[in-house]
Amino acid sequence: MLSAPARTGSEQSDAGRPGPERSGPGWRLWRDPFGVPHVQADDLTALAHGHGYVTGVDRAWHVEVLRHRAEGRSAELVGPDGLDGDHLTLAADVPGTARRWWDAASARDREFFAAYARGISEALAETWSGTPEARELGLAERTVRPWDPWTPMAVHLDAHLLTGSLPEQLWRRRVRRELGDAWVPVLDAESPAAAGSNAWLVPGELSASGAPLLAADPHRVAEESGPYQPVCLSTPDVRVRGLALVGLPGVPHFGRTESAAWAITAAMTTTEHIADLAVENRDGAWYVATTGERLEHRSVVLRARGSVERSCLLRSCAAGFVLPGTPAAEAVLDAAVPGTATTVTVVSPAPTADPARAFSACRELLSARTAGNVMEAVSGWAVPCNDVVAADRDGSCRHTVTGSFLGAAEPSRPLHGITVRANQRPSDPCASAARLACAPPHRARRATHRLDAAVAEHGAVCHEDLLAAQLDTAAPHWPPLLRELFADASPTAVSDPVATVARVGSTGPVRTAPEPDVASGPMGAPSRPANEPSATGAASQPKGESRTTNASAEAADSVRAALLDWDGSMAVGSWTASLFAVWRDAFVHELMRTTPLSVLSGPTGMPTVWDPFLHGPGRVGLAVENIVRHGPDLGVDVRWCARTALERVAHEHPGTALPPWGALHVYTPWRSDPALTAADPVPVGGDADCLLAAGTLPGTGPACVRVPAARVLWDLADPAASWWITPDPVTRGECTEPPLHRWSRGEMDHALPWVPAGSVGRSGAMGPAGPAGSTSSSGGSIDLGALPPLPDQSAPGPRVTLRPVDAGRDAAVIHEWVRAPRARFWGMTGWTRERVREVYEYLDASPTHHAWLLELDGTPMGIFQSYEPHADPVGATYRVEPGDLGVHVLLAPLRTRRPGLTAALGRLIIAQLARCGTRRIVAEPDVSNDRAVARLIATGFELGPTIRLPGKTGQLAFLRVDGLTESR
């Protein structure tokens, strides 16, 4: 239980208004209308505690699955399918590594991680029995053990165990063994299940806002609510929004402070060395044949749900750990018959330069002020190996590669011009040689083309340009390939599919293999792929059924013509995209059935945990572009396979009557246990090589495998210009629609460290505000009431109205006011009318900042502006309280000013704010504006500290207005 009483959203503060959803020692939790948590704390330790707590509340099932995986106990939750993964986790000594790194960490880092683990433990103790997944699987009564302080490190290490180069090295080894060295570069493509992403940085000189822009979308196999958790974190010295990795404190991958921002992509580096070592058994022990070194071993018992147990041995030598093999291979080692010999695979991870700093970035990034601070914070990062871009408000842009990897270090360097990181192979030969499974270059080229086009069209890149690029569904590389494949006048009929092997030249003997099971190949996995659902809808041919050999030439010609006329768009509504995907599946089927690649359809020779990475049809499908370009040099008749696929599609889909792409290409998050109820699927555009990289495994059907697990956009010009979205299928907060649906439509949510703010009108809108604050029937104006009569008069004074600024209509009069020397503290002296208009157009579109004209009987006489402090730089300089509302007021110069006008206006405005939920008014005039500061003091404001803001040093001042209308 919490050491302080928890507060739910239904509880009320002392003023009768909603309080925080939860609170703990030194922290409290708010949620924005979309359910994104904002942890507000006294210091970093309390912040980590609150972050851990809300993670345990929101992701209870997921964090328990991750913890069990990291301890080699996932099968206890998800069943026997998790046993292979558990064996791998323990063989790699994930728990032991985490504990050693924890012991090496600084006292501050240990305190930070321990607080986070404590928060998760407290939340799980409260929520586990009611967790839907636990109830559905009958695990609600299971005792949940508290997290150890190092458990977050273990969770992170285990989640990224298969995102380094190990799967790619095993894939290359399989290709080399079964096809030869020449095929290795041809089949080198992005892994079907490993992490990848886009990260783009636009410098200030090319940005519409004048400050750097960062946009990123990490590509992941998204399990449950996804690997990333949008979160806002703040203390008196820190205000951060970003994507936390579930189970790890802080926002080490994607985040922004008030003045700095960062984003990562996978660096695609070589993160370990693997070697096949011959071993021989002497007197019941195994020794390396070449060196005589004895293999160390220890026995463990793995347990699975349903009272299943498996005994296994964990082996290692000085070079690294022995990779667990298939049950048959393990049985040979376990038997330990003297005189026998076999081969084992030893994995040697890249050394960690400084274990004490392996996770320091989680804490240090929260305080980053500059791009240089970001580079310093990530300099000790260990896992995974990341390609990092960072920028700050002053315009500095930097890049580095961080993490433990083999090869020369790639130190921090400045960036110039638009930078596109899309997992592409580096142009530098040395850096390229150390990369594995890079993305095809056209994804990076497409992003560069789109951003360059934005600059050419309107001189700069804006937010909409970046989002449009993230949602780009074009696959422009495919139409030229199709023209090359279908260069003949028409398709050619096939006489005998068995005889096709003779048509294909080969550099060696063609080994036959079973018909590739492309309909049941694994689709990918987070860290335990063995228990995930298989692909569906593959264009496969049942065994024993002869493929049609007399397909109508007309029908095949129709398919061919449609594909040649296709523009490469993989948009949701494109039926030709569906036709292309079906043809591509058939094409991969032919490659796997009738060419030397058929040997890859056999068993992988590895435990099932590796199937997503070594599955032949899926890997061939991802490399199909390389095969088209380079396969002919290795004896593959790609044109014949392409034409045969045409005939197959024409026969199976007469008239090309297919639904649009969005009806086939659907996405639903993986469940860690297939028995759990799945979320409803959503339509998604794009494809594996599009910028909208909602990827399939070509050859295994149209379903999404790996998707953008989040989208973020950071604009360093304004902390409020922050946007994000994740494919989370769970509804949280006031919004009744889960983020998954908005994600699928290409929408993004405002990323703000939200605290419920005061307002000018009811509910923050320009709605009715009662008799003295009513809204007129036209224009959304607010009637504040009449000024009091002058001392020598009995009739009421003129009526005061707040009318929303119409930028086009009001720019001229506002420009006259703000250009005057007396308005120098307004900050617009010397501005053009056009620039003033643009600012007020921006305010008109803002959901958190508003501008009004003060009118006396319809005559403009000043500007009143309001802002929600959590969405403004001011909010980073003090602890924002519920009901706070920031204000600015500028009165126009008048030849004859009504006596007492300023004070009377102030009273009317304050009364209106108090009626509409504002508890405290916040002001921050320039510290040198003596008259404004004096006016605030006279009105009853209490002065706070001076604060540094963009363009000025401000004097914070606060006026509590709780109950003000009742007392006056």
Side-chain angles (χ1 to χ4, degrees):
M1 295 295 292
L2 289 172
S3 55
R7 245 183 173 176
T8 67
S10 61
E11 291 182 298
Q12 302 292 305
S13 68
D14 54 4
R17 298 178 179 86
E21 177 183 310
R22 296 284 197 281
S23 60
W27 61 268
R28 56 187 181 175
L29 169 66
W30 308 96
R31 287 190 192 271
D32 74 9
F34 297 109
V36 173
H38 169 205
V39 181
Q40 196 180 48
D42 293 341
D43 53 41
L44 288 181
T45 300
L47 188 70
H49 186 191
H51 183 192
Y53 185 88
V54 73
T55 301
V57 168
D58 286 358
R59 309 291 182 98
W61 167 254
H62 197 189
V63 294
E64 265 302 274
V65 170
L66 293 174
R67 192 275 295 273
H68 277 71
R69 286 176 181 162
E71 295 175 347
R73 299 170 50 232
S74 72
E76 296 177 16
L77 282 184
V78 302
D81 285 345
L83 288 171
D84 283 341
D86 290 343
H87 192 181
L88 176 62
T89 292
L90 295 178
D93 195 23
V94 167
T97 302
R99 179 60 192 266
R100 288 190 295 273
W101 288 4
W102 157 264
D103 289 339
S106 69
R108 287 185 298 174
D109 284 338
R110 289 200 299 270
E111 182 180 34
F112 186 70
F113 275 80
Y116 180 83
R118 188 166 62 252
I120 285 185
S121 299
E122 291 169 350
L124 290 176
E126 294 179 16
T127 63
W128 178 256
S129 61
T131 299
E133 293 86 352
R135 295 172 67 88
E136 188 174 348
L137 295 175
L139 301 172
E141 301 305 316
R142 179 186 178 88
T143 301
V144 179
R145 186 172 61 80
W147 280 37
D148 292 315
W150 53 86
T151 299
M153 296 181 180
V155 162
H156 183 77
L157 285 171
D158 186 74
H160 292 87
L161 185 59
L162 304 184
T163 62
S165 67
L166 180 56
E168 296 314 302
Q169 294 194 67
L170 294 176
W171 167 244
R172 288 182 170 214
R173 184 180 70 174
R174 184 184 185 202
V175 172
R176 190 175 291 111
R177 286 176 174 175
E178 301 195 29
L179 288 168
D181 289 341
W183 276 99
V184 171
V186 177
L187 295 177
D188 180 43
E190 276 191 296
S191 169
S197 36
N198 291 315
W200 311 325
L201 192 156
V202 179
E205 62 269 20
L206 297 177
S207 160
S209 71
L213 304 174
L214 282 83
D217 54 307
H219 308 156
R220 294 285 189 110
V221 175
E223 180 187 46
E224 306 297 348
S225 289
Y228 289 108
Q229 171 196 29
V231 64
C232 295
L233 307 169
S234 67
T235 73
D237 302 315
V238 164
R239 194 165 72 153
V240 179
R241 65 222 72 187
L243 302 179
L245 286 151
V246 175
L248 193 71
V251 287
H253 279 187
F254 304 92
R256 72 159 300 172
T257 63
E258 292 299 290
S259 57
W262 58 94
I264 64 103
T265 62
M268 321 307 285
T269 53
T270 304
T271 52
E272 54 274 300
H273 174 73
I274 68 170
D276 292 331
L277 297 184
V279 294
E280 55 190 22
N281 194 274
R282 307 173 197 162
D283 300 324
W286 290 101
Y287 295 83
V288 178
T290 56
T291 65
E293 179 189 359
R294 178 174 173 165
L295 294 185
E296 301 296 330
H297 70 274
R298 63 185 179 93
S299 178
V300 295
V301 177
L302 304 178
R303 294 179 173 83
R305 199 176 69 208
S307 302
V308 176
E309 291 188 354
R310 179 198 291 181
S311 296
C312 60
L313 292 175
L314 309 177
R315 300 178 176 87
S316 63
C317 62
F321 69 91
V322 175
L323 195 66
T326 61
E330 289 296 299
V332 171
L333 291 170
D334 293 345
V337 177
T340 57
T342 187
T343 301
V344 296
T345 300
V346 174
V347 180
S348 306
T352 302
D354 184 2
R357 289 189 48 75
F359 284 97
S360 293
C362 296
R363 177 182 56 81
E364 293 179 4
L365 281 170
L366 301 179
S367 302
R369 298 289 185 265
T370 67
N373 293 157
V374 173
M375 296 292 105
E376 293 168 9
V378 302
S379 63
W381 183 255
V383 175
C385 189
N386 291 331
D387 191 305
V388 185
V389 291
D392 60 39
R393 189 167 55 200
D394 293 333
S396 176
C397 303
R398 302 196 67 84
H399 166 263
T400 193
V401 174
T402 187
S404 301
F405 62 97
L406 303 177
E410 299 182 28
S412 169
R413 62 185 179 90
L415 295 175
H416 306 284
I418 293 174
T419 299
V420 169
R421 313 301 299 178
N423 307 131
Q424 71 270 35
R425 188 169 293 282
S427 56
D428 176 74
C430 293
S432 177
R435 281 353 190 240
L436 298 177
C438 293
H442 44 69
R443 196 167 75 202
R445 291 171 186 160
R446 177 69 179 172
T448 301
H449 168 76
R450 288 208 59 137
L451 300 182
D452 286 347
V455 174
E457 181 179 350
H458 41 258
V461 176
C462 63
H463 302 169
E464 292 75 15
D465 296 323
L466 289 167
L467 179 57
Q470 289 181 325
L471 300 176
D472 186 277
T473 59
H477 55 290
W478 264 110
L481 288 174
L482 293 174
R483 289 193 293 272
E484 180 181 336
L485 288 169
F486 302 144
D488 295 354
S490 64
T492 303
V494 179
S495 58
D496 181 2
V498 177
T500 59
V501 174
R503 295 171 53 96
V504 181
S506 175
T507 56
V510 177
R511 285 171 276 180
T512 60
E515 184 81 357
D517 184 13
V518 295
S520 61
M523 292 290 290
S527 65
R528 291 296 179 270
N531 55 17
E532 291 178 351
S534 61
T536 58
S540 60
Q541 174 189 349
K543 285 185 179 181
E545 179 180 319
S546 296
R547 184 150 50 86
T548 302
T549 60
N550 59 347
S552 164
E554 263 185 45
D557 273 338
S558 175
V559 174
R560 174 181 175 274
L563 292 176
L564 289 176
D565 193 47
W566 178 51
D567 61 0
S569 171
M570 300 298 290
V572 165
S574 171
W575 71 267
T576 316
S578 297
L579 181 65
F580 162 74
V582 169
W583 168 83
R584 183 176 57 183
D585 281 352
F587 179 45
V588 172
H589 177 93
E590 292 302 323
L591 291 170
M592 291 299 298
R593 200 173 71 92
T594 63
T595 77
L597 294 167
S598 63
V599 297
L600 296 175
S601 60
T604 68
M606 295 290 291
T608 55
V609 72
W610 297 104
D611 283 354
F613 305 94
L614 307 182
H615 176 240
R619 294 305 303 246
V620 167
L622 288 172
V624 70
E625 181 185 349
N626 279 351
I627 295 169
V628 169
R629 297 186 186 280
H630 304 293
D633 296 335
L634 296 171
V636 176
D637 191 341
V638 293
R639 289 187 179 182
W640 186 88
C641 291
R643 292 193 298 266
T644 304
L646 275 182
E647 291 188 357
R648 184 190 188 96
V649 173
H651 173 70
E652 295 179 354
H653 302 278
T656 62
L658 288 168
W661 183 228
L664 298 178
H665 191 230
V666 296
Y667 170 71
T668 187
W670 295 119
R671 300 311 308 264
S672 51
D673 188 322
L676 291 169
T677 302
D680 293 334
V682 294
V684 184
D687 196 25
D689 289 338
C690 297
L691 292 181
L692 178 50
T696 62
L697 283 185
T700 64
C704 285
V705 180
R706 192 179 73 191
V707 297
R711 296 187 190 98
V712 296
L713 195 164
W714 311 133
D715 185 347
L716 271 302
D718 180 4
S722 303
W723 306 87
W724 55 24
I725 195 72
T726 63
D728 185 353
V730 179
T731 300
R732 298 183 176 91
E734 300 172 10
C735 185
T736 58
E737 180 185 54
L740 173 65
H741 293 176
R742 298 192 297 280
W743 170 90
S744 73
R745 295 194 300 266
E747 300 173 8
M748 297 180 80
D749 297 335
H750 212 176
L752 294 173
W754 193 84
V755 176
S759 66
V760 179
R762 292 292 187 194
S763 300
M766 293 173 287
S774 61
T775 304
S776 69
S777 59
S778 62
S781 298
I782 297 177
D783 182 1
L784 300 183
L787 290 174
L790 293 174
D792 57 347
Q793 298 178 2
S794 59
R799 298 201 71 80
V800 181
T801 304
L802 290 178
R803 175 175 65 80
V805 168
D806 181 329
R809 168 185 167 189
D810 300 325
V813 65
I814 294 175
H815 180 247
E816 286 301 315
W817 294 343
V818 300
R819 65 186 294 196
R822 66 182 297 275
R824 65 188 182 279
F825 292 114
W826 201 253
M828 293 184 175
T829 305
W831 284 26
T832 64
R833 182 186 300 180
E834 177 66 17
R835 191 176 177 190
V836 169
R837 180 184 63 78
E838 290 175 353
V839 166
Y840 285 94
E841 285 178 341
Y842 170 81
L843 292 177
D844 183 55
S846 171
T848 58
H849 292 59
H850 305 289
W852 317 73
L853 281 190
L854 275 164
E855 294 184 334
L856 293 184
D857 284 342
T859 300
M861 52 79 61
I863 310 170
F864 173 72
Q865 292 179 195
S866 66
Y867 63 88
E868 298 178 13
H870 66 257
D872 192 88
V874 172
T877 65
Y878 79 102
R879 179 168 171 143
V880 179
E881 297 289 342
D884 280 3
L885 187 71
V887 301
H888 296 132
V889 181
L890 174 68
L891 296 183
L894 298 175
R895 288 197 178 122
T896 305
R897 184 179 293 272
R898 180 184 175 90
L901 175 64
T902 301
L905 287 174
R907 286 191 291 271
L908 288 176
I909 292 172
I910 289 169
Q912 171 66 19
L913 301 186
R915 277 193 297 270
C916 295
T918 300
R919 300 177 61 182
R920 188 170 64 164
I921 299 173
V922 181
E924 21 69 42
D926 192 294
V927 71
S928 61
N929 189 347
D930 297 334
R931 294 184 61 185
V933 173
R935 171 60 63 184
L936 291 176
I937 294 173
T939 306
F941 279 77
E942 294 182 6
L943 299 186
T946 58
I947 56 176
R948 292 288 301 170
L949 294 171
K952 75 175 185 181
T953 298
Q955 172 62 66
L956 265 180
F958 304 96
L959 177 67
R960 299 206 67 91
V961 295
D962 300 67
L964 192 61
T965 53
E966 290 80 2
S967 62
R968 293 191 177 182

